[in-house]
Each structure stands twice: as C-alpha cells, then as structure tokens.
Amino acid sequence: RVLPRDNASIAFTLVNLAKAIGMLGDPNKAIELLERALEIRLRQYGAKHREVGVVYGSLAIQHQRLGNGTKARDYGLKCLEIEEEAYGPNHQELVATLVNLSNAYSMTGERAKREDTVKRLAGLDPKMALRLGAMDAAQGGYSSLPLGFSLGESVVVHGLSGAKELNGLRGVIKSWIPAKSRFEIKLEGRDETKAIRPENLL
C-alpha cells in the first residue's frame, strides 16, 4: 500500500532519520529531511502544533552543528513559542529548548539574552542553570559550547583508544568542562559520568 505524501508516519520517520544522520556528521542532509517533515506537519497540524515545534527544535540543533547561530536562534524561538503555548511558561518540557537557545545566543554574541535565558532556566532546572553559569564564569563571564553540540543532546561514543569498551555506547551531554576541554557524558546503563572529548562523540 502506498502512503500519501502527507502521512504522519512519513514525517515521524523523516524526523528520526534526520536526528541519526545529524549525529553521524551530516547536518545538511538532516536539515533537508527536517524541512520535508516540516512541510508535512504544517499542512497537517498548522503552525502552532506541538509536532511542528518538535521539528523547529530539531532544525535549531542541526543549524548549531553547522555553526549557524542565527538560524539556530530563530528556530529555537519558534519552538519555544509553541512549547509555551502548549505547556505553559514554567513547564519542564521547556528545559531542553531553553538550553539550546542559550547556546544559540552564545553563537550570535547576544550575551544579555543568554544570561536572561540562564536565569529563566534556574527556575526550571537549577542544576543545569548552575552548569551554564559556571561555564560562563570559567571563560570570563561568557562562553559557548563547541560548535555542533547542545547540552541535553544524545550522543554516541566512538574512537576511544584508552577505554575501548565505551565505544558505541549512547549517552547524554550533561555539561561542558572548559578546564579539560571535555564534555561530561551520562552513559546509558551506567551510574557514573565520563569526561569525553568532542571529537570522540557523534
């Protein structure tokens, strides 16, 4: 059976495929797939639906990977607007979007907006806000993550020579450690976190 081009399952597949391709290092292809998914969901749901917000958030992450802070910021703001309308201004669902938006503000040099976003995060996720604040303090009051990464993002470990048993494991970026130039990664199925260089993450 041939599915219609606007079938919801097609958009769902495109979003998941884009995430995987982006993690494998091809954000341009990921953006192409996400733009197709966005067209479908806009036709299906309209501009303010949560499923549209998911695509905007994913586009923001991929543009961060490309180093395009302006587009990352703009898509992040669209995602945030939809999430605020769907969940309210103080819901935990906003945390990941606010974290990514703060990183986008770092890339665009909008220091005051980053600081305001971190303050807002303090009311939703104090630990995450403290991490972001510590990152800024460690680099003279203002810092950004290595391009292409976002706090809270899922990653895969690869290319380690000293701890080969970790290669292939999935994890989540918890914080950036400027003094070590490494990310703190919470690996799936493990209680402890590991400090891993950006080049060893997909």
Side-chain angles (χ1 to χ4, degrees), residues 50-144:
R50 284 176 293 178
E51 294 297 332
V52 173
V54 169
V55 183
Y56 284 143
S58 297
L59 281 165
I61 290 173
Q62 299 306 328
H63 279 290
Q64 278 194 45
R65 287 194 167 118
L66 282 177
N68 191 333
T70 300
K71 285 191 174 181
R73 177 200 63 199
D74 292 347
Y75 280 122
L77 287 171
K78 288 182 177 182
C79 178
L80 181 62
E81 180 183 357
I82 291 172
E83 289 180 342
E84 287 175 330
E85 186 171 330
Y87 302 109
N90 300 309
H91 197 281
Q92 287 294 311
E93 286 289 336
L94 277 62
V95 169
T97 299
L98 289 170
V99 170
N100 290 330
L101 191 54
S102 74
N103 293 332
Y105 285 139
S106 290
M107 296 171 70
T108 58
E110 296 173 276
R111 177 173 180 171
K113 290 184 178 180
R114 174 181 166 89
E115 291 174 350
D116 288 344
T117 304
V118 173
K119 289 177 182 177
R120 184 175 178 185
L121 270 168
L124 300 176
D125 190 333
K127 290 184 178 180
M128 183 63 75
L130 283 172
R131 289 189 184 115
L132 291 171
M135 286 166 52
D136 289 349
Q139 296 192 8
Y142 188 48
S143 68
S144 61

